[in-house]
Amino acid sequence: MSRVFRHGGYPTFWTADTVSMFGSYVTTVALPVVAIGTLGASDTEVGLINGARWVPYLLFGLLAGVVADRYRRRPILVGADLVRAALLGLLAALAVTGALRIAGLVAFVIVFGALSLLYEAAHQSYLPRLVPPAALTAANARMEQSGSVAQTTGPFLGGSLVAALGAPLALLVDAVSYLVSGLLLATIRRPEPAPERHDRHLGRELREGLAWVYRHPVLAPYAITLHVRFLMASMTSTVFTLFVLRGLNPGLPGDRAAFGLGVVLAVGGLGALVGNSLSGLVGRYGIGRSILLERFGEPVGWIVAALAGAGVGGWILVGAAQFLVWAALGVSGPNEMGYRQAVTPDYLQGRMNATIRSLNWGMFTVGAPVGGLLAQHLGYRPAIWVGVAGLLAGAVAAALSPLRHARHPEPVPDGARRGAEGSPPATADRDR
């Protein structure tokens, strides 16, 4: 574990990411409480708010990848963090003064999502400039492990802050975390050369990123089935939040329900930590197998959630559901990211990540509102079952594709990968 921290700049990068994630999990609890408790949003409106954050991913995701490949990535990370800190401070002030409305919250979420999109395109593409290809899986695992600790304690902290101070003031904790993250990233002194400026053409650059992902023998089925997974997971997670806050124990006061949601999400963080700890062991048996374990394991967790009833037993089941879902995600996450980064040359890192992530998170623009509608018109448990069916269909499709044979490739010199525009690397044959 300690070896990866020997690479210059990585310890600071890891610290900034960890601080930011702690704050983000506070907002995970606080934002729906602002919508429901402060603004009185309906189930459908909550779904629209959840989906609004991902509209920029669907509309501008590919463009963000081009930006991350055209410019130095560290300044993008610093700027996005500092502006997001200011926006969260403004949102908290509007909520406290009673000036916030549903339309304003939706607008805020869209702008915040655009900044997060740009940040994430640069973030995942900056890591390969700090550590060599052989260390990428370990570097991603360390970051996901710290993220799992944040996920374990952050929602609990968020639920406690919401109960004690109210949701608007709890948002200020996340604002401070973005501020600290931005300042830490600004201190990294690892040289980052400016990207080459020749032959720039937006249309061609967009096509290169798309071709790299969707013509690759393994990345293509991986990405397509992952898009399906995100669509169904966005529906199910939206319904799950509403179910815990409103449907599990309908008579429970809002502040106590928010605290309960924080505890449940914290249990999910424990699951992610366990999964991350096992990711290296599972990855030895093949990247494809670790991904399939997640694809089939996640719906099992949501099935447990659908079986939860009222009372203490219900809270135990929704906590167990989050543990199972996040344990499956924790096993797969570092292996997935390490594979994607290792098979992609540096000049395509931003576009590869943005191509996959923009459509992944863009699925929330559809899935989250649909989840809210299903919850309002079918009920919480039937809506969860719809999501489970979709997740299982995507898992079967992934299992029948070349993805099941994917293994981490041997390092290949970047120049050797640039032979044909958008073509897969020389090591891709072993993944068929």
Side-chain angles (χ1 to χ4, degrees), residues 62-86:
L62 299 180
L63 183 61
V66 173
V67 172
D69 284 338
R70 281 189 178 186
Y71 303 101
R72 289 187 176 92
R73 291 158 186 167
R74 186 172 63 91
I76 295 174
L77 299 176
V78 173
D81 267 347
L82 297 181
V83 176
R84 285 186 293 179

Side-chain angles (χ1 to χ4, degrees), residues 206-281:
L206 292 174
R207 289 192 298 271
E208 279 184 341
L210 288 166
W212 178 261
V213 172
Y214 295 112
R215 291 181 184 173
H216 193 284
V218 175
L219 287 181
Y222 161 76
I224 292 170
T225 57
L226 189 62
H227 301 332
V228 174
R229 180 260 157 194
F230 267 78
L231 175 63
M232 296 301 152
S234 65
M235 292 170 48
T236 311
S237 60
T238 297
V239 176
F240 180 80
T241 300
L242 292 167
F243 177 49
V244 173
L245 288 175
R246 284 178 164 168
L248 190 60
N249 290 277
L252 197 66
D255 57 345
R256 293 179 63 186
F259 179 78
L261 176 63
V263 173
V264 167
L265 296 179
V267 173
L270 288 175
L273 184 60
V274 171
N276 290 151
S277 300
L278 296 174
S279 62
L281 177 63

Side-chain angles (χ1 to χ4, degrees), residues 136-429:
L136 283 171
T137 296
N140 280 295
R142 299 295 85 77
M143 293 176 70
E144 293 211 15
Q145 285 174 345
S146 62
S148 299
V149 174
Q151 185 181 351
T152 302
T153 55
F156 181 80
L157 175 63
S160 301
L161 288 172
V162 169
L165 304 176
L169 292 179
L171 291 173
L172 291 177
V173 174
D174 196 13
V176 172
S177 76
Y178 279 118
L179 177 62
V180 172
S181 174
L183 295 176
L184 283 172
L185 290 170
T187 67
I188 295 178
R189 292 294 176 259
R190 182 74 177 264
E192 186 182 11
E196 299 178 6
R197 293 183 174 272
H198 63 276
D199 296 333
R200 285 186 173 178
H201 183 276
L202 180 60
R204 179 184 59 78
E205 291 172 280
L206 292 174
R207 289 192 298 271
E208 279 184 341
L210 288 166
W212 178 261
V213 172
Y214 295 112
R215 291 181 184 173
H216 193 284
V218 175
L219 287 181
Y222 161 76
I224 292 170
T225 57
L226 189 62
H227 301 332
V228 174
R229 180 260 157 194
F230 267 78
L231 175 63
M232 296 301 152
S234 65
M235 292 170 48
T236 311
S237 60
T238 297
V239 176
F240 180 80
T241 300
L242 292 167
F243 177 49
V244 173
L245 288 175
R246 284 178 164 168
L248 190 60
N249 290 277
L252 197 66
D255 57 345
R256 293 179 63 186
F259 179 78
L261 176 63
V263 173
V264 167
L265 296 179
V267 173
L270 288 175
L273 184 60
V274 171
N276 290 151
S277 300
L278 296 174
S279 62
L281 177 63
V282 176
R284 294 176 188 174
Y285 297 95
I287 302 298
R289 292 180 181 178
S290 71
I291 295 173
L292 292 179
L293 178 62
E294 182 275 318
R295 299 291 176 86
F296 283 99
E298 185 178 1
V300 172
W302 294 123
I303 288 172
V304 173
L307 299 176
V312 175
W315 285 103
I316 292 174
L317 283 181
V318 294
Q322 281 289 284
F323 183 92
L324 291 171
V325 167
W326 282 98
L329 292 167
V331 166
S332 180
N335 290 302
E336 290 186 45
M337 281 306 307
Y339 178 83
R340 282 160 50 174
Q341 291 166 337
V343 301
T344 303
D346 181 76
Y347 80 105
L348 279 169
Q349 285 284 341
R351 282 167 285 174
M352 176 275 294
N353 284 315
T355 295
I356 295 175
R357 290 180 68 87
S358 63
L359 289 177
N360 281 349
W361 295 107
M363 293 297 104
F364 270 79
T365 65
V366 178
V370 169
L373 284 169
L374 291 175
Q376 188 161 328
H377 296 287
L378 296 182
Y380 299 121
R381 291 180 182 83
I384 292 175
W385 284 111
V386 172
V388 167
L391 286 168
L392 287 173
V396 170
L400 296 176
S401 76
L403 176 59
R404 68 184 184 275
H405 300 305
R407 288 186 174 275
H408 202 288
E410 296 295 330
V412 176
D414 185 71
R417 298 184 197 161
R418 293 195 65 159
E421 198 173 273
S423 62
T427 55
D429 288 341

